[in-house]
Amino acid sequence: MSSRAGRTMPRSLLPKYLFATLVLALAIICTVSLALYKNYTALTQELVSSGLDQNDAVLKARLEDQATAVMMSLERELDRPIAEATEDIDALIADALAEHPEMNNLRFLATIVDGPAPAPRWQNDALVASRIVIYQSERRGILRGEFSTSAVRAELQDFSNELAAIERRYRLQGAIWVSAATLVMLLGCAALAWLTAIRLIRPITELTHQARRISSGDYSKSLPVERDDELGELARTFNEMRDELRQTTISRDYVDSVLASMNDAVIVTGPDNTIARINAATTQLLGFTEEELLGRSVDTVVAESHRESFLSSELGSKPRESLFVTRTGENVPVSWTGSVIGTDNPLFKGHIFAAQNIRERKRAEQRIRYLARIDALTKVPNRMQFQHLLQRAIARARREGHAIALLYIDVDQFKDINDTFGHLAGDAALETLTQRLARELPEKSVVGRLAGDEFAVILDELPPGREHRNDVRTLARTALDGLAEPFEVQGHEVFMTASLGIAWYPGDARNVIDLIRNADAALYHAKKAGGNRYEVYTADMNEAAVERLMLKSKLRRSFERNELLLHYQPKYSLKDGRVVGAEALVRWELPERGLIMPSEFIPLAEETNLIVEIGEWVLERVCADYREWQLDVTDPGRIAVNLSLKQLRRSRFVDKAAKQFRRSKVSPTSFEFEITETTLMEDPDKTIRILDELYALGVHLAIDDFGTGYSSLSALQQFPIQTLKIDRSFVRNAAVDADDATIVATIIDMGRSLKMDVVAEGVETAEQLGFLQTLDCNFVQGLLFGEPMSAADYRELLLAQEDGTNRHRALFA
């Protein structure tokens, strides 16, 4: 669970600050409203009180005026009767009281009062008004009346009640208005607080969301800048930080993606050689988790026997090999390169190592080295390995003073077995021959296969002198008798005999070449004698050597006599069956002998400088033919030309080749030079320089007969090679032999991993073709598609392909 998922959601600032704002606004508004209400209430009460007082005064004044008026009226009515005493005063007073019901009492006091009549006065809720009765300018007494104040009190009470009602109504209205104003003000404050909070909190919220997007790796949206205040400046600063983080993260993510997708293990260390970073391929290679490797010294993943050389190696682009230790303690062979991290930042200083698991490559190299020394069919040393073993035996015999017998064996009429029963029967015969030789010969004997049906045996540690020769002859006869026993092939009983030649060291020869040549001469005489016998070498058998010298001489004159021919073996694409080029093959047509194959005269040419002249003639002829083809064909394909070691060593070879291309007006990219593994490894440093020059010129480069030499793939990676050609000896039985099938598949896989094209040579059957198609081989060539042809026939083949009438296309369906 991520840290974000584990933490609680933060409380929003908006409710908190809004609530605080509302509480503060409510307190302020309520305080102001209460003060206003109290002031309004006091004012209302004061107005009511003042109104009552004023009304009371008005009513009393009115009553006093009424009382004065009544008393003045009564005085005028009563002054004469009272003065003359003509009528009953009490009766008059009673009539006056009846006439004026507002009066409670009316009395006449015959009291003489000096001065004006007393002013009306209030006494015991009554108004007492007096009037001096004057008759004929004579004061007769005082008329005093008491007026009731009930009407005034009732009217005052009604007015008071009315004012109270008005006061209550206005107080209620005031309370309502105050409440409404309070609510409106509160809502206004809330709205203002909301808007203010929104303007403050929205940028913060957007900033928070943006920060979360950035933390999850989303840099697609920038933060909007809508203000010019501090929050706007904060948004601008955050966007600048986002842009910088995006660039940094893009670079980091790109590096992470590259490291994660690399098949090679990548280890980054600090200045102290502790592991600071690895990719997924490292954990897969070593079996450790990332946490287990981080912080460890890099030398702890290297096998102890290789640590010193690993740490002391100079870092650079040149690959080196070492052993890494897995978590289970297993040693894994790796090819690694290392370099110093160039930076001025001390935090990033250190080294970076890239390692590739080469276990399968080592196994393949071991297998190829085995096959380079061992014949795939018979599982005995091949010609090259046998010669090597013979050289060691001669050196040992020279040092220890003993003798060696070399037996050269060839199957009689082996072609008849192949023609009668097929190649499988021929292979079975050769396997049977090997088994029977091992059965008949001494345990320490060395058996080797020198060619198709040619074998040789080393009998080592023989005593010096001639005493042992009869024993060797007896052994030779016994071996031939054992080989002559019948055996079954496909239900048929097959008889096989062989011829055998014997040569001795040191009596007959003192080096490998001479010893094999002399044994071969003895074999030749045994076959000439009818076969199924042996012959011992004698000096007069050197006539064959003389014949070889004569052949060399004739080869020199072959240029003058125009006896050399150039044939082309087409190369087909396994993808669609199209002709993509051809291999140029030189032939020698000797009038008295007919067509001589390269296997017979090329070794003679190699012994002299004739091979250089032949190579130059071939290149010149191929360029001329190519120029002719271009007149009629859109694309003649790429033509392969074999190069010998002597040609490569020739001074200014590259310049001469470039000059030939220019003179013929053909592109170097239309040609491919084939070099054998032995030629490559003769002088690797010098060969690399020459091949680099050819590669720069545009010529494609191929390794011919791949798998038969001693080169390692790590060494081959140094050469600018673009094509591997699988030797025909592996292709021959690949469709039926598991070992050969494995080797062919391995070479194709290697070529694909090294980004090289792979050509299978010697394809002779549809089964072989089908097998190569299942392995996704690139190109094939062989007798299945016909014999090598002349330049004119190759031109016709290309024209037929353009017309869609190429008869070999059906084989690839």
Side-chain angles (χ1 to χ4, degrees), residues 319-333:
R320 296 172 177 81
E321 294 184 0
S322 184
L323 288 178
F324 279 9
V325 182
T326 67
R327 187 175 187 181
T328 59
E330 180 184 5
N331 289 337
V332 178

Side-chain angles (χ1 to χ4, degrees), residues 133-145:
V133 178
I134 299 175
Y135 183 72
Q136 295 180 351
S137 305
E138 184 180 351
R139 296 176 178 261
R140 299 294 184 172
I142 296 174
L143 185 64
R144 179 175 295 169

Side-chain angles (χ1 to χ4, degrees), residues 98-169:
E99 184 180 356
H100 297 284
E102 67 273 11
M103 296 180 62
N104 291 337
N105 189 16
L106 180 64
R107 291 180 301 170
F108 177 72
L109 298 176
T111 302
I112 303 300
V113 180
D114 295 331
R121 55 185 177 82
W122 295 87
Q123 182 179 352
N124 297 326
D125 296 329
L127 175 64
V128 179
S130 299
R131 190 70 184 174
I132 298 175
V133 178
I134 299 175
Y135 183 72
Q136 295 180 351
S137 305
E138 184 180 351
R139 296 176 178 261
R140 299 294 184 172
I142 296 174
L143 185 64
R144 179 175 295 169
E146 292 184 5
F147 291 87
S148 174
T149 61
S150 58
V152 173
R153 287 196 303 274
E155 188 175 355
L156 184 62
Q157 184 62 43
D158 291 340
F159 182 72
S160 176
N161 292 338
E162 185 178 354
L163 286 179
I166 293 173
E167 179 188 6
R168 287 194 298 274
R169 186 171 68 252

Side-chain angles (χ1 to χ4, degrees), residues 645-693:
L645 178 60
K646 288 189 176 182
Q647 282 180 276
L648 285 177
R649 287 180 175 178
R650 191 80 170 188
S651 62
R652 301 183 60 198
F653 167 74
V654 178
D655 294 337
K656 290 182 179 179
K659 184 177 179 180
Q660 180 64 55
F661 293 140
R662 289 193 299 269
R663 185 167 55 246
S664 303
K665 297 181 180 180
V666 293
S667 172
T669 58
S670 302
F671 296 91
E672 182 175 72
F673 285 164
E674 296 184 2
I675 307 100
T676 64
E677 288 183 79
T678 305
T679 301
L680 283 176
M681 303 311 298
E682 183 71 23
D683 187 355
D685 294 336
K686 184 177 181 180
T687 304
I688 287 176
R689 290 195 300 271
I690 298 174
L691 295 185
D692 284 339
E693 293 178 11

Side-chain angles (χ1 to χ4, degrees), residues 6 39 86 158 229 258 340 355 381 478 568 571 649 652 659:
N39 189 30
T86 58
D158 291 340
D229 53 9
V258 170
V340 178
T478 302
Y568 295 93
K571 182 168 60 178
R649 287 180 175 178
R652 301 183 60 198
K659 184 177 179 180

Side-chain angles (χ1 to χ4, degrees), residues 274-502:
T274 57
I275 298 176
R277 189 173 185 180
I278 62 173
N279 65 346
T282 306
T283 61
Q284 295 173 1
L285 174 67
L286 301 178
F288 291 98
T289 64
E290 184 175 358
E291 292 75 13
E292 291 173 330
L293 288 176
L294 296 182
R296 295 178 55 175
S297 177
V298 69
D299 61 347
T300 60
V301 303
V302 182
E304 187 173 354
S305 58
H306 287 68
R307 287 180 186 174
E308 183 177 354
S309 60
F310 181 84
L311 295 176
S312 61
S313 298
E314 294 183 3
L315 301 182
S317 59
K318 184 177 180 181
R320 296 172 177 81
E321 294 184 0
S322 184
L323 288 178
F324 279 9
V325 182
T326 67
R327 187 175 187 181
T328 59
E330 180 184 5
N331 289 337
V332 178
V334 297
S335 174
W336 66 273
T337 58
S339 61
V340 178
I341 300 176
T343 178
D344 295 331
N345 191 336
L347 296 176
F348 301 121
K349 286 186 176 181
H351 305 86
I352 181 169
F353 300 93
Q356 183 182 23
N357 188 345
I358 57 173
R359 175 182 293 163
E360 294 302 324
R361 193 180 82 183
K362 286 291 186 181
R363 290 176 180 172
E365 286 182 6
Q366 184 178 4
R367 180 64 176 168
I368 290 175
R369 283 194 297 269
Y370 170 80
L371 292 175
R373 301 188 304 269
I374 304 300
D375 178 65
L377 175 65
T378 59
K379 306 302 184 295
V380 297
N382 59 18
R383 184 182 190 92
M384 187 175 296
Q385 178 67 5
F386 184 83
Q387 290 179 349
H388 175 68
L389 295 176
L390 181 57
Q391 178 65 47
R392 292 175 57 184
I394 290 175
R396 188 168 53 253
R398 183 183 301 115
R399 185 174 58 253
E400 299 176 1
H402 58 248
I404 296 175
L406 178 65
L407 312 184
Y408 208 125
I409 306 170
D410 183 81
V411 179
D412 297 330
Q413 306 300 322
F414 181 71
K415 186 175 181 298
D416 293 342
I417 298 178
N418 278 330
D419 294 343
T420 303
F421 301 103
H423 290 285
L424 291 179
D427 292 343
L430 297 179
E431 290 177 318
T432 302
L433 181 147
T434 307
Q435 296 168 1
R436 291 180 177 180
L437 284 177
R439 182 189 65 190
E440 301 295 341
L441 295 173
E443 184 177 352
K444 292 184 179 181
S445 302
V446 177
V447 179
R449 184 182 179 188
L450 304 189
D453 61 340
E454 297 178 7
F455 292 80
V457 178
I458 301 173
L459 299 177
D460 198 3
E461 299 183 1
L462 300 176
R466 295 181 174 270
E467 294 80 7
H468 58 279
R469 298 199 173 189
N470 289 332
D471 296 335
V472 171
R473 291 187 179 94
T474 302
L475 183 62
R477 185 68 262 172
T478 302
L480 291 177
D481 292 342
L483 295 178
E485 295 177 3
F487 62 96
E488 278 195 6
V489 174
Q490 301 172 359
H492 300 281
E493 190 175 48
V494 177
F495 292 88
M496 174 181 64
T497 61
S499 301
L500 189 150
I502 304 174

